[in-house]
Amino acid sequence: MTKDVEAVSVQQQPEFLDIDYHDPPPALLIDMEELKKWPFYRAIIAEFVATLLFLYVTILTVIGHSRNSDLGAGGKSCGGVGILGIAWTFGGMIFILVYCTAPISGGHINPAVTFGLFLARKVSLIRALAYMVAQCLGAICGVGFVKAFQSAYYDRYGGGANQMAHGYNKGTGLGAEIIGTFVLVYTVFAATDPKRRNVLAPLPIGFAVFMVHLATIPITGTGINPARSFGAAVIYNHEKSWNEHWIFWVGPFVGATIAAFYHQYILRAGASML
């Protein structure tokens, strides 16, 4: 039996050494031609609207949970959706929105994802900057709608802004954001890798967001998306959220950089040398 297994393994080995896929050519660093094409602006609009919807649904869920579980305001100890429900909301919305926008803009909905893909030369510098601006503006508008519809509870329950939880220092928060974003961006690279066929990429990406939220909501409220943190901070506009806001940019960008390097220059470089 052992000999049979060994024979099969040796026989199949060349199959794994063959590279039957081709990476698309790297994007130009500065592609001025994009500015003349309607699909470029359509993609920017898609990123804006997707990030708006993402922040609207998720922050509204956070505020609703805080309201329903506030015993002092007539809520119940188990009245809210809890951390599990909040994590599902963030992960589920990413799954839905990436699925909807992937054919149009690539479904980034996150400056850290855009930055990681830029480092891997998947998008040009112009497109990356345009996406980040659209994502941040969409996030501000999405949280603005939440405040407009929940004006009685928005400020009382923290506006969904990312802040360090009591008992954790900024170093811990920064580490949590770096690792959490690494998980997300690495999953994006893996799920969209040309080696894979017939894979529903939005599903593992949304599930990665869900899992990271379960782990880091008790620490930072989970950023891993600078646009999400920025939009909430702008509308909530309290000193504590601004004092710690750098964590939710530096952490995700560092995590995205590590993920891009790991996937492109270690995993994929190793595959290309076989």
Side-chain angles (χ1 to χ4, degrees):
M1 182 66 179
T2 304
K3 293 181 179 179
D4 292 341
V5 172
E6 290 176 351
V8 171
S9 300
V10 172
Q11 204 171 27
Q12 290 181 344
Q13 188 176 1
E15 179 182 346
F16 294 103
L17 295 177
D18 290 338
I19 298 176
D20 58 351
Y21 61 90
H22 299 281
D23 283 321
L28 296 175
L29 180 62
I30 299 177
D31 187 1
M32 300 302 295
E33 291 298 317
E34 286 187 311
L35 299 175
K36 303 176 183 179
K37 300 176 181 177
W38 163 242
F40 173 74
Y41 297 99
R42 182 179 62 186
I44 294 172
I45 294 170
E47 287 293 311
F48 171 83
V49 173
T51 314
L52 185 156
L53 295 174
F54 176 61
L55 268 292
Y56 172 72
V57 173
T58 55
I59 300 301
L60 199 60
T61 301
V62 172
I63 301 299
H65 162 70
S66 299
R67 167 65 182 86
N68 292 333
S69 60
D70 185 358
L71 300 179
K76 300 179 181 179
S77 58
C78 297
V81 296
I83 290 178
L84 182 62
I86 293 173
W88 271 121
T89 301
F90 277 87
M93 281 303 294
I94 286 296
F95 167 68
I96 293 168
L97 294 171
V98 171
Y99 181 83
C100 292
T101 59
I104 302 170
S105 66
H108 296 192
I109 322 173
N110 183 336
V113 171
T114 300
F115 183 67
L117 293 174
F118 165 70
L119 293 179
R121 300 292 301 277
K122 304 294 185 183
V123 295
S124 69
L125 177 61
I126 292 176
R127 183 176 291 265
L129 293 176
Y131 275 18
M132 291 180 191
V133 171
Q135 290 156 359
C136 289
L137 292 177
I140 292 171
C141 293
V143 182
F145 281 129
V146 174
K147 184 172 183 178
F149 296 149
Q150 291 282 5
S151 57
Y153 306 114
Y154 182 84
D155 288 320
R156 182 189 305 177
Y157 297 116
N162 288 121
Q163 298 178 3
M164 292 300 306
H166 180 71
Y168 294 98
N169 58 41
K170 293 180 180 179
T172 301
L174 180 62
E177 289 296 308
I178 290 174
I179 296 173
T181 310
F182 173 85
V183 172
L184 169 59
V185 178
Y186 175 47
T187 303
V188 170
F189 276 112
T192 58
D193 195 297
K195 291 184 294 184
R196 299 181 183 274
R197 297 185 179 91
N198 300 321
V199 175
L200 185 61
L203 182 59
I205 295 171
F207 201 69
V209 172
F210 164 68
M211 297 300 294
V212 171
H213 274 76
L214 282 182
T216 58
I217 283 177
I219 303 173
T220 63
T222 307
I224 68 171
N225 184 335
R228 174 260 186 272
S229 302
F230 181 69
V234 167
I235 301 300
Y236 186 54
N237 198 27
H238 280 219
E239 182 178 358
K240 178 174 171 59
S241 60
W242 284 119
N243 287 341
E244 299 172 347
H245 187 65
W246 64 271
I247 295 172
F248 303 100
W249 283 89
V250 175
F253 273 62
V254 171
T257 301
I258 298 172
F261 176 82
Y262 175 64
H263 186 268
Q264 291 297 109
Y265 300 106
I266 296 180
L267 300 186
R268 295 309 303 275
S272 64
M273 290 187 295
L274 292 176

